[in-house]
Amino acid sequence: AAMRSRAEVDATLQTAKLNPAELLPVVHCLSFGPQAGGGECCLLQLEPGLCAELEAGHSLVIRGEKDEHAVLCSKDKTYDMKIADTSNMLLFVPGCKTPEELNADPASCNIIHSQIAGFSNNYWELRRCRPKLKKLRKLLMEDPYDGPDSQKDQTSTFSKYTTEDLLSLIQASEEEILHQLQVIDACKIEGYWRILDFDYEMKLLNHVTQLIDSESWPLSKVPLCACLEELGSLEPREMIEHILVSYGRKYVDAGEIFFEMREDKICRAIAQMLLQNAVKFNLSEFEEVWQQSVPEGMTTRLDQLQGLALVDKSSRPETIFLLKVEDLPEDNQERFNSLFGIREKWTEVDITPYIQDLCAEKQTVGALLTKYARSSMLNGVKVYNSRRPIS
């Protein structure tokens, strides 16, 4: 197309009944360039923080396998990606000057001829979301580590995963993945991330607690060196240290490394060991056996079992059974369906440990319950049941 002159621009303004005095003196004349196809360009709307990360030279990564909804990850956050359609066509004009830039540049030429390099009718919108971390445990549980002498480990056909593998398979940022590996007590063995087989973990924990007992060490001051020395002939030293890190808090005193054992976590693990072989356990009998099973000097309390076991107060006598939050679905609606399938009516106290992890940023358990459950009063207590029929 021939380039427009100023006279043609003025004639067009007159036809459109526009007063040139109310407009900027500079006019952009747009024409489509030879390569101005749609489809080669994607637009991504970024919040200022993400924009700053890119400008600082960091990367943003899109993660997800073929059957998963794509997410975008920065170093420490995860975002859902959704296409937003727009009724206005968006044009890409290289070197385009905004009205603010034109105002600041009085010498700018009267007519600017610009070529459109591309166009789009939609853009990707990002929404901060919870990292999808359930798969991490699932992958590592395919092949739990049950000790250096295990024949199963030599013959296993399951994949083992390095940090790089997990970054390509898990829809979460690097920081979120590394934090979750810590939460689930994974450890690196020969460069691969592994979760210990629960029975093997209990065997290691038992070695440590028996040693503490026989040496009469205070639970708040367990020396690393002496543990490795005494138990190194029974199990690999790095496994002994891993158990101390998992079940204790590390600190240094007079140049020596000590661990303060975490009572709640040890009591919880022993409860899991007792409950996993029974469908339901008489509550008062369980509490008695549990207290007898934990190391001397530790006190068991039912609130140590949040998200691990549930008490059935309606049965006579009362019972307790294993219900682990990590075994429940990750999707909000599926999680509630699953919980209401297990129990028709829940109190807020009982259901909270099983939905706490679903809360988005600044979202409360109350807001989740309002959205996915219906409340009613039962014997003067507020209870929640499903909004939809559970098949």
Side-chain angles (χ1 to χ4, degrees):
M3 290 194 174
R4 283 182 172 187
S5 65
R6 182 73 221 201
E8 287 172 311
V9 170
D10 289 339
T12 307
L13 289 175
Q14 205 173 346
T15 308
K17 297 188 172 64
L18 290 171
N19 177 3
E22 292 172 0
L23 305 174
L24 281 172
V26 180
V27 175
H28 264 290
C29 282
L30 302 178
S31 59
F32 281 92
Q35 266 78 48
E40 290 93 45
C41 305
C42 284
L43 286 175
L44 187 62
Q45 190 177 46
L46 297 178
E47 55 183 49
L50 284 179
C51 223
E53 284 205 32
L54 280 183
E55 284 164 351
H58 300 304
S59 304
L60 299 178
V61 191
I62 293 173
R63 296 202 165 111
E65 295 192 74
K66 281 190 169 64
D67 60 339
E68 294 170 326
H69 187 89
V71 298
L72 182 126
C73 302
S74 66
K75 187 95 177 118
D76 60 349
K77 294 184 183 73
T78 304
Y79 298 84
D80 256 330
M81 298 178 72
K82 287 201 167 64
I83 287 185
D85 288 317
T86 163
S87 54
N88 294 331
M89 185 181 277
L90 301 162
L91 304 176
F92 309 143
V93 182
C96 180
K97 288 196 168 176
T98 63
E100 291 76 27
E101 289 170 323
L102 294 171
N103 266 335
D105 179 14
S108 57
C109 149
N110 210 337
I111 291 190
I112 299 175
H113 291 278
S114 301
Q115 277 209 333
I116 297 165
F119 59 88
S120 178
N121 286 315
N122 55 41
Y123 58 93
W124 287 98
E125 205 174 46
L126 300 181
R127 195 166 297 153
R128 179 81 191 276
C129 67
R130 285 195 325 270
K132 296 169 174 50
L133 291 163
K134 202 164 232 10
K135 187 174 169 187
L136 179 60
R137 187 183 192 94
K138 186 168 162 257
L139 291 178
L140 297 186
M141 285 305 286
E142 289 171 354
D143 187 20
Y145 181 72
D146 55 359
D149 308 325
S150 161
Q151 291 309 304
K152 185 169 77 68
D153 217 54
Q154 263 78 71
T155 56
S156 169
T157 54
F158 284 107
S159 304
K160 293 192 176 75
Y161 303 97
T162 62
T163 307
E164 286 306 305
D165 296 333
L166 294 176
L167 283 173
S168 69
L169 291 166
I170 306 298
Q171 291 184 289
S173 68
E174 186 167 357
E175 276 187 28
E176 288 165 330
I177 290 172
L178 293 173
H179 174 70
Q180 185 66 9
L181 285 166
Q182 223 176 331
V183 169
I184 62 176
D185 293 323
C187 62
K188 248 185 181 175
I189 298 172
E190 294 169 359
Y192 297 104
W193 285 103
R194 308 290 297 273
I195 284 184
L196 301 194
D197 174 81
F198 185 67
D199 291 343
Y200 180 55
E201 191 172 319
M202 289 299 96
K203 182 181 165 189
L204 291 166
L205 182 60
N206 195 30
H207 283 321
V208 170
T209 54
Q210 282 186 343
L211 180 65
I212 293 169
D213 192 44
S214 66
E215 299 287 343
S216 302
W217 289 328
L219 290 163
S220 59
K221 198 168 186 183
V222 177
L224 173 64
C225 274
C227 282
L228 298 180
E229 210 53 57
E230 290 294 324
L231 301 173
S233 57
L234 299 172
E235 294 293 344
R237 284 168 161 245
E238 57 272 25
M239 287 295 102
I240 302 297
E241 186 164 357
H242 174 67
I243 281 295
L244 287 166
V245 168
S246 298
Y247 287 92
R249 288 185 193 82
K250 190 177 188 174
Y251 66 95
V252 178
D253 184 19
E256 199 184 335
I257 297 172
F258 291 95
F259 286 88
E260 177 191 356
M261 302 314 287
R262 292 161 61 179
E263 176 175 273
D264 288 356
K265 191 163 181 183
I266 292 172
C267 290
R268 184 184 174 94
I270 290 167
Q272 183 178 336
M273 185 174 70
L274 295 171
L275 289 169
Q276 69 178 9
N277 300 319
V279 179
K280 288 206 170 189
F281 212 126
N282 176 314
L283 181 63
S284 55
E285 282 177 21
F286 166 75
E287 288 186 293
E288 202 176 311
V289 174
W290 184 27
Q291 182 58 58
Q292 289 165 359
S293 308
V294 300
E296 191 76 37
M298 288 195 174
T299 309
T300 57
R301 299 186 321 278
L302 284 175
D303 66 2
Q304 293 164 337
L305 307 186
Q306 289 196 346
L308 174 74
L310 197 57
V311 173
D312 186 350
K313 295 188 178 77
S314 63
S315 68
R316 291 285 168 268
E318 291 184 358
T319 54
I320 184 167
F321 60 97
L322 207 58
L323 179 62
K324 296 194 282 190
V325 67
E326 65 258 26
D327 294 341
L328 297 170
E330 196 164 30
D331 173 76
N332 289 17
Q333 187 61 63
E334 285 176 28
R335 172 79 61 93
F336 276 93
N337 290 351
S338 176
L339 290 170
F340 290 126
I342 291 163
R343 178 182 281 187
E344 191 188 344
K345 293 180 189 294
W346 292 75
T347 62
E348 187 169 344
V349 171
D350 280 351
I351 203 168
T352 295
Y354 292 104
I355 58 172
Q356 190 95 55
D357 62 311
L358 299 179
C359 291
E361 240 185 338
K362 297 178 185 152
Q363 191 181 28
T364 62
V365 163
L368 268 182
L369 286 168
T370 303
K371 186 172 179 185
Y372 292 98
R374 180 178 277 127
S375 67
S376 58
M377 298 303 281
L378 182 70
N379 305 329
V381 177
K382 195 178 203 181
V383 291
Y384 293 88
N385 65 305
S386 179
R387 280 190 173 278
R388 48 175 71 183
I390 298 289
S391 50

